[in-house]
Amino acid sequence: MSSSSTEPRRVTIHDVARSAGVSRQTVSRALNDKGEIDGSTKQRVLDAVRELGYRPSRFARGLVRPDTTTIGLVVPDLLNPFFTEVASGALEAARARGWHVVVHDTADDPEQELATLRVIGTQVDAATGYFGRSDEDLDRLTAGIPVVLIGREPHSPRFSGVGIDGEDGVREAVAHLVSRGHRRIGMLDGNPAPSVRRRWFLRAAAECGVSVHPGWIAAGAQSVDGGGAALAALLAAHPDVTALFAFNDVMAIGALREARRFGLRVPADLAVIGFDGLALGTLVEPELSSVAIDTRAVGALAVEQAARLVTGAAPLEPAELIVRARLHLRESA
């Protein structure tokens, strides 16, 4: 939003620490009148607080112990089990370190994300998760704290990122479908504009010598209902499609349900492969084949990188921050 780019950046505890030449923990001790620091250091901190106009957050006021490390985890939709599984991995990794995690669900709403960033920018030691705002906005709203993006390549050198590489897994999925004799392979995309997964799918199909008709691709909401509606539209126009790759598992599960409404047997009449590898896929009938990601590893890697940035340890290299997806065959394909 244009208005957000002109807002003054809120002074953080990290700004005070830099100005006073001390650590964040020392600032917290000074503000909470702890006795572990000498008088001159405390006075230097208080002078910096006044000069910068810093207003302590509830964390700095002592409602959370100053020596407690807190990470903010931002997700767009906790009702989507993919993000719940990622959050579970992050929480487990943080718990192993004795960290606190504050989870924020932005409901995939840019304004809610902005409100969330305004809060966590002053209340956590690091932030990680899914952010739709530009690196410039994130830099301003989270100044002074490490940020680890998930599922998005960072452009600012201040940020790190955990990426997902599913191209080989999608290639395996398409090759499997072709090996089973499928040549009319459709896709349910989760975005009206071509997603990265759509590009992976089309590239894999071309490598297998399969031409994908543009009408064999339907877009829908990234939900069970969205997957069902997208498949209904696809089959209404192209009932000859015999196999399907879905943007994610929840869309694929919606497609399984819709296929039954059309009287189609899976996989005999329509083979279905999803993407994500959610545990939920084992609870449907037939069990869902999927290009699977270790979702818990995604969350754990994000926390590990944040921990290294907070403590000053050597950060993980970009190649170590990639989670690769592989095809997990079950009953649906």
Side-chain angles (χ1 to χ4, degrees):
M1 300 291 178
S2 58
S3 61
S4 66
S5 61
T6 59
E7 292 179 359
R9 181 177 68 77
R10 183 177 297 178
V11 176
T12 72
I13 194 171
H14 302 274
D15 296 323
V16 175
R18 281 195 299 270
S19 177
V22 298
S23 69
R24 174 194 175 280
Q25 286 75 17
T26 298
V27 175
S28 294
R29 293 186 184 104
L31 292 172
N32 286 284
D33 201 24
K34 300 294 183 181
E36 298 95 335
I37 60 174
D38 61 64
S40 61
T41 301
K42 178 179 178 180
Q43 189 59 51
R44 195 162 72 249
V45 170
L46 296 179
D47 288 344
V49 167
R50 282 192 293 270
E51 290 169 8
L52 296 173
Y54 172 62
R55 296 182 62 187
S57 70
R58 66 186 182 90
F59 284 83
R61 288 196 300 267
L63 296 182
V64 173
R65 296 195 323 270
D67 59 345
T68 296
T69 301
T70 303
I71 184 169
L73 174 63
V74 178
V75 295
D77 182 10
L78 276 174
L79 291 177
N80 184 325
F82 174 82
F83 298 114
T84 305
E85 290 188 11
V86 170
S88 177
L91 288 165
E92 183 178 9
R95 195 160 44 240
R97 291 180 170 274
W99 283 20
H100 289 297
V101 179
V102 181
V103 181
H104 294 265
D105 183 344
T106 64
D108 208 19
D109 178 0
E111 289 305 315
Q112 182 59 43
E113 181 183 318
L114 176 60
T116 295
L117 286 167
R118 285 172 174 154
V119 171
I120 68 173
T122 61
Q123 294 189 345
V124 300
D125 299 282
T128 187
Y130 297 82
F131 302 97
R133 293 192 167 266
S134 67
D135 282 17
E136 180 182 7
D137 274 355
L138 289 176
D139 193 25
R140 177 175 53 80
L141 291 162
T142 63
I145 64 171
V147 176
V148 180
L149 310 178
I150 300 178
R152 165 179 153 189
E153 183 179 354
H155 299 293
S156 169
R158 197 171 71 77
F159 301 150
S160 183
V162 175
I164 294 170
D165 185 352
E167 184 162 17
D168 285 345
V170 174
R171 186 178 290 115
E172 287 180 284
V174 174
H176 169 76
L177 293 173
V178 172
S179 74
R180 294 297 178 94
H182 296 285
R183 307 293 294 183
R184 296 185 297 278
I185 307 172
M187 181 188 175
L188 305 184
D189 200 349
N191 300 281
S195 65
V196 171
R197 295 177 191 182
R198 188 191 302 194
R199 291 199 294 271
W200 291 340
F201 167 71
L202 292 174
R203 196 149 50 218
E207 290 173 2
C208 290
V210 172
S211 178
V212 178
H213 187 285
W216 296 351
I217 299 177
Q222 295 177 28
S223 64
V224 171
D225 289 342
L231 179 62
L234 173 59
L235 291 178
H238 298 277
D240 55 342
V241 167
T242 64
L244 186 69
F245 169 64
F247 177 87
N248 63 15
D249 281 356
V250 291
M251 292 187 75
I253 290 169
L256 293 179
R257 185 178 66 183
E258 193 66 20
R260 284 193 292 272
R261 291 185 62 244
F262 272 80
L264 298 176
R265 298 166 299 160
V266 177
D269 301 320
L270 181 71
V272 178
I273 297 179
F275 189 106
D276 283 344
L278 301 179
L280 181 63
T282 65
L283 303 179
V284 297
E285 180 66 33
E287 290 190 8
L288 181 66
S289 296
S290 183
V291 178
I293 304 162
D294 186 343
T295 49
R296 293 174 65 83
V298 172
L301 268 178
V303 170
E304 172 63 24
Q305 184 73 331
R308 292 176 179 234
L309 297 175
V310 166
T311 62
L316 296 170
E317 295 295 324
E320 299 176 278
L321 292 166
I322 300 295
V323 178
R324 303 189 187 281
R326 309 299 301 189
L327 176 63
H328 283 193
L329 283 174
R330 297 193 182 107
E331 299 170 347
S332 68

